[in-house]
Amino acid sequence: MGDTPGPTEPTLEEQIAAYQREFQDLDPQVEQIVSALGRLNRRMNVAYGRQTATLGISNAEWEVLKALVLSGAPYQMGPGELAKRLGLTPAAMTHRIDRMVAEGLVTRDRDESNRVRVIVELTAEGREKWLEAMRLATVFEEDLLQDLCQDERDALGEVLTRLLRRVEHAQPDAGGRLTDLD
């Protein structure tokens, strides 16, 4: 009963053929690129989620750790700033921070110079989890790109960056999530 696989996702070719059947104006080359990027992103997120799970953290917690590290030493941000950066509601951010404080990944304290302001700070344990996740991700990413020579890596990086810039220009408010995934 539990061993029976569910329906499989159609191949890219099958998907494109079905789309073309239903929508004749489809450019199959564009659809192949966009669909491949979407599938790659989804599968990479699953792989990263499995890696962070081995460390006892979720992808959601990883995002907070990453945001704090990217802020630079002393790895502090306000909850509102974190929520905005991650595209979350303040309530969702509070829930996430609560979990992370309980797990010892971050601290949450009042700012001594402005008692109204709250500061979320990365702990040594949180930084170690971030470093270990980076070590795992580096192995996964090197394996992912192993079949590409340096010129192909350079070209792929440049092309994807151009595509990202186009989307960021056309959708400047799309950096966060449309809905909360917690």
Side-chain angles (χ1 to χ4, degrees), residues 1-51:
M1 179 175 183
D3 295 335
T4 307
T8 59
E9 184 175 33
T11 65
L12 279 177
E13 294 78 16
E14 292 168 338
Q15 178 180 326
I16 293 165
Y19 283 0
Q20 284 182 300
R21 181 184 67 237
E22 301 297 327
F23 183 68
Q24 289 74 36
D25 293 339
L26 181 82
D27 181 333
Q29 182 183 45
V30 170
E31 189 58 36
Q32 179 188 20
I33 293 166
V34 172
S35 294
L37 285 171
R39 287 181 185 206
L40 179 61
N41 180 59
R42 194 169 63 245
R43 284 168 175 76
M44 287 177 68
N45 283 335
V46 168
Y48 290 135
R50 288 177 179 153
Q51 289 180 339

Side-chain angles (χ1 to χ4, degrees), residues 86-152:
L86 299 178
L88 298 173
T89 65
M93 190 74 250
T94 297
H95 176 67
R96 192 174 294 181
I97 292 168
D98 288 346
R99 284 193 326 250
M100 294 180 74
V101 167
E103 294 167 4
L105 301 172
V106 299
T107 60
R108 175 179 39 211
D109 293 303
R110 294 265 175 224
D111 184 342
E112 289 301 320
S113 63
N114 178 354
R115 300 293 296 163
V116 175
R117 185 170 185 258
V118 173
I119 296 176
V120 177
E121 183 174 354
L122 186 66
T123 64
E125 182 178 347
R127 180 158 169 74
E128 187 52 43
K129 293 280 185 181
W130 178 82
L131 285 168
E132 187 57 32
M134 289 298 291
R135 289 182 195 106
L136 291 172
T138 298
V139 171
F140 168 73
E141 292 158 359
E142 281 297 325
D143 185 58
L144 176 69
L145 299 174
Q146 70 179 331
D147 295 332
L148 301 180
C149 70
Q150 190 59 51
D151 287 345
E152 290 171 320

Side-chain angles (χ1 to χ4, degrees), residues 154-172:
D154 291 344
L156 180 61
E158 192 258 311
V159 166
L160 291 175
T161 300
R162 281 193 348 237
L163 293 174
L164 178 60
R165 285 188 184 131
R166 179 173 293 279
V167 170
E168 287 173 341
H169 178 74
Q171 305 286 327

Side-chain angles (χ1 to χ4, degrees), residues 50-61:
R50 288 177 179 153
Q51 289 180 339
T52 58
T54 67
L55 301 174
I57 61 174
S58 67
N59 272 352
E61 291 167 329

